[in-house]
Amino acid sequence: MKDFLAELIEIPGGSGYEEQAAELIAKEFSRLCDQVHTDSFYNVYGIKRGSVSLESGERPKVMLAAHMDEIALMVKDIDEKGFLRFTSIGGVDQRILLAQEVTVHGREKLYGIVSTVPPHLQDAGEAQKVIKMKDMCIDVGLPPDRVKKLVRVGDLITFRSPLATMQGSMVNGKSIDDRASVVMLAEVMRELDRLQYAAEVYCVATVQEEVGTRGAVISTYKVQPDIGIAIDVTHGETPDAPKEDTYAMDKGIAICKGPNMHPGLTEKLIETAREYGIEYQISVAPGPTGTDARSMQISRSGVPTILLELPLRYMHTTVETLNLDHIKSGARLLALFIASLKEGWQEWLKY
Amino acid sequence: MKELLVRLTGIYGPSGREEAVRQAIRQEIEGFVDEITEDVMGNLIAVKKSSNPDAKKVMLAAHMDQIGLIVTNIDENGFLRFSNVGGVSPFNVLHRRVVFQNGVTGAVSYETELDDMKKLKLDKMYIDIGARSREEAGKHVQIGDAAVYHAPMAQSGDRYFGCAMDDRAGCAVLVETIRSVKESPNELIFVFTVQEEVGLRGAKTSAYTINPDIGISVDVTLTGDTPKSRPMAVNLGDGPAVKVKDASVICHPKVKDLMIQRAEEAGIPYQLEVLEYGGTDSGAIHLSREGVPSGVISIPCRYVHSAHEMVDRNDLENAVKLLTCILEKEIV
């Protein structure tokens, strides 16, 4: 599991450019499920069909979604000295950019860094100011004529930050939002193999979540599920972050409540967790969430949707920190929940 | 091209009231396509069929609507208060002449006791049609009527400027492309869309109906070549722009690369566009149903959403050439 996460987060996959990530995910999924399909936008669908047959003959079609895209940068202009101006894809915090190591995906892959003015050369008080992304540039260490041959406006730039193991079961790196959840999809498949279940399960690794849950819009339309389950990350607690918006790093996955989520199914999920003694927390979203659940719920005629969230520290940085145990326990919970969809499952969808 | 542009930019057509534009475009393309229909939203849909049994369905879109001012209240002295239809900046409309569908014109002004021009908002502004009373104004304009800029197109060398280049310039490019494309291995569905300025609404419904394999829209984009403008690597006159991304769409890499390839094969000048704000019809098309790989050909345009949107003739002509090259060959 950790190896798959380590391999996956190193693959560049800024929103809209997920082809390579999709390839690796499809390869991993194909070992674990009955059928794998990749669509023209590189959403990857891993399909598993349970062996239990229901008397009514109507299997629940369950779609799980976790997004594979990551926040990234994009070349906006190249100046006369060969420095690259850039914009962001998804919500990049400009405060973390200075001196960051990046890969520029030009005609060749180029190592680059976000340039910064040394403290010695700063004016008094400059260190107190936030430097804006529009004033930053990237240095790839090449003369301007070479840069102009290798790099074009619109080239993708991704961060470099491989998986690092911390103490206990904590790891950090880039794009753990939301590739940890993609890894969890694979774990759900493994858990399902140990269980008897009736559902037809579509594990979908989605694209373009960071720019507006776009992959979820088209993939949910395609799958047309009876039940939607989104897996994403939420904020892990740190001393400086507001308590009411953060969750413990060692108390289990968070089950989200709010209008975006189906109350009956959410309750069933909580019951499942209690029944099997799986630790969980409750998170709250007062409106449409910033996750794939947002679009899944309102696809076609509407899809009863639930949301699970992995607590993650330092979201949208290159040191996103996660407790690996949460992937395991979350996957077990989801598989048990899916297996609990039996005769009369339609009753669960009623309000 | 010039005559077409003069004609199309001179027509009244704020979002939701595109009928005159639709009528004019229909006349321009009749005889050049196999089929013309209009849908319930008012989209104009023109089809060029293909003899190829494996033809891909390519949807091309340019929007007919323009931004406008919609009357919300008429005061006792006959001044019209208004709201925006689409992205209207108070500074762009201040002291502009505007015209209603029935030809009534007015001037846009503001409450001059305002102490700080930075605080200028549309609710401090009004349209003066010269009426002396509510009754007199009511004879000419009703609440709910919309006005657009009154700014006939002008020319300076290769540069054309006037209102509604966004996106009548795109409509003109599509009209000329319809006339220019000879034989295509693809089924070409040209859609002149409605209500782009209020949220890509015509493109959303027409893409659902058509269910295309590929989507291409033609719209204007911003430039970074005016004094102290927001930096952007697009210049007026340097060629049509192949969009990489904007706020509504990340163009499908295969569609984007195909556009680049066709431009390079044919030696057509082009630019690459990364637009940080704003969107266009492909934003709706690419998320239709199970997803439609989409791209955009953009026409560089200065002063977008002002009364004097400026485009370059060469960019328009090269956009037609590029589109023709793309459409006359196999697509992706």
Side-chain angles (χ1 to χ4, degrees), chain B residues 169-186:
Chain B
C171 292
V173 165
L174 274 198
V175 167
E176 291 291 353
T177 304
I178 286 174
R179 293 172 177 165
S180 137
V181 170
K182 298 287 177 298
E183 182 62 33
S184 174
N186 312 297

Side-chain angles (χ1 to χ4, degrees), chain B residues 129-155:
Chain B
I129 56 167
R132 288 169 184 81
S133 66
R134 179 179 289 145
E135 289 67 37
E136 194 187 339
K139 286 179 192 153
H140 305 289
V141 176
Q142 306 293 315
I143 287 171
D145 288 353
V148 299
Y149 291 122
H150 184 276
M153 194 179 101
Q155 180 180 5

Side-chain angles (χ1 to χ4, degrees), chain A residues 101-117:
Chain A
E101 293 175 279
V102 297
T103 302
V104 180
H105 301 270
R107 289 200 159 97
E108 293 169 13
K109 275 190 188 181
L110 301 174
Y111 175 93
I113 46 155
V114 180
S115 79
T116 173
V117 177

Side-chain angles (χ1 to χ4, degrees), chain A residues 53-298:
Chain A
S53 54
L54 300 179
E55 268 176 42
S56 64
E58 286 175 46
R59 292 167 174 282
K61 194 194 271 185
V62 181
M63 172 173 161
L64 281 65
H67 70 89
M68 70 172 95
D69 62 312
E70 60 177 336
I71 54 162
L73 307 172
M74 183 175 267
V75 178
K76 202 171 80 172
D77 204 356
I78 303 164
D79 77 12
E80 66 283 0
K81 293 197 168 135
F83 289 91
L84 312 177
R85 299 283 169 179
F86 58 90
T87 184
S88 63
I89 296 180
V92 172
D93 181 354
Q94 54 196 4
R95 295 174 311 162
I96 64 118
L97 287 174
L98 295 176
Q100 201 65 250
E101 293 175 279
V102 297
T103 302
V104 180
H105 301 270
R107 289 200 159 97
E108 293 169 13
K109 275 190 188 181
L110 301 174
Y111 175 93
I113 46 155
V114 180
S115 79
T116 173
V117 177
H120 322 72
L121 303 180
Q122 292 173 9
D123 294 333
E126 211 175 317
Q128 272 72 50
K129 281 192 220 143
V130 173
I131 299 171
K132 295 199 169 132
M133 194 186 317
K134 67 179 177 64
D135 300 318
M136 297 179 196
C137 55
I138 286 169
D139 180 0
V140 292
L142 289 172
D145 55 323
R146 288 278 293 150
V147 174
K148 288 195 171 155
K149 278 204 182 91
L150 294 171
V151 182
R152 310 190 68 182
V153 170
D155 284 348
L156 185 73
I157 304 163
T158 53
F159 297 104
R160 297 167 74 101
S161 182
L163 194 76
T165 303
M166 302 165 82
Q167 283 53 248
S169 49
M170 302 284 241
V171 293
N172 77 61
K174 78 165 175 83
S175 66
I176 292 188
D177 169 8
D178 186 33
R179 289 172 180 180
S181 305
V182 174
V183 171
M184 193 163 133
L185 291 181
E187 290 305 305
V188 171
M189 293 185 197
R190 287 197 175 90
E191 292 287 342
L192 281 173
D193 284 339
R194 302 192 183 112
L195 298 168
Q196 297 283 313
Y197 62 100
E200 190 176 20
V201 185
Y202 284 70
C203 293
V204 186
T206 59
V207 298
Q208 300 196 29
E209 190 272 351
E210 297 289 1
V211 291
T213 69
R214 293 177 188 165
V217 172
I218 57 179
S219 58
T220 314
Y221 184 93
K222 185 186 181 80
V223 173
Q224 221 179 330
D226 298 306
I227 293 172
I229 303 176
I231 313 166
D232 211 324
V233 293
T234 187
H235 301 283
E237 64 180 3
T238 50
D240 49 353
K243 275 225 159 10
E244 60 278 16
D245 297 324
T246 55
Y247 301 92
M249 293 299 286
D250 58 354
K251 297 254 175 0
I253 199 161
I255 296 171
C256 193
K257 282 192 175 183
N260 193 170
M261 280 66 63
H262 189 275
L265 285 178
T266 303
E267 216 40 58
K268 290 287 176 191
L269 184 68
I270 292 170
E271 273 174 32
T272 309
R274 285 206 188 117
E275 188 180 345
Y276 291 93
I278 299 169
E279 233 184 344
Y280 68 93
Q281 312 177 58
I282 298 291
S283 59
V284 178
T289 60
T291 73
D292 282 344
R294 182 192 197 96
S295 302
M296 294 174 85
Q297 187 187 28
I298 53 167

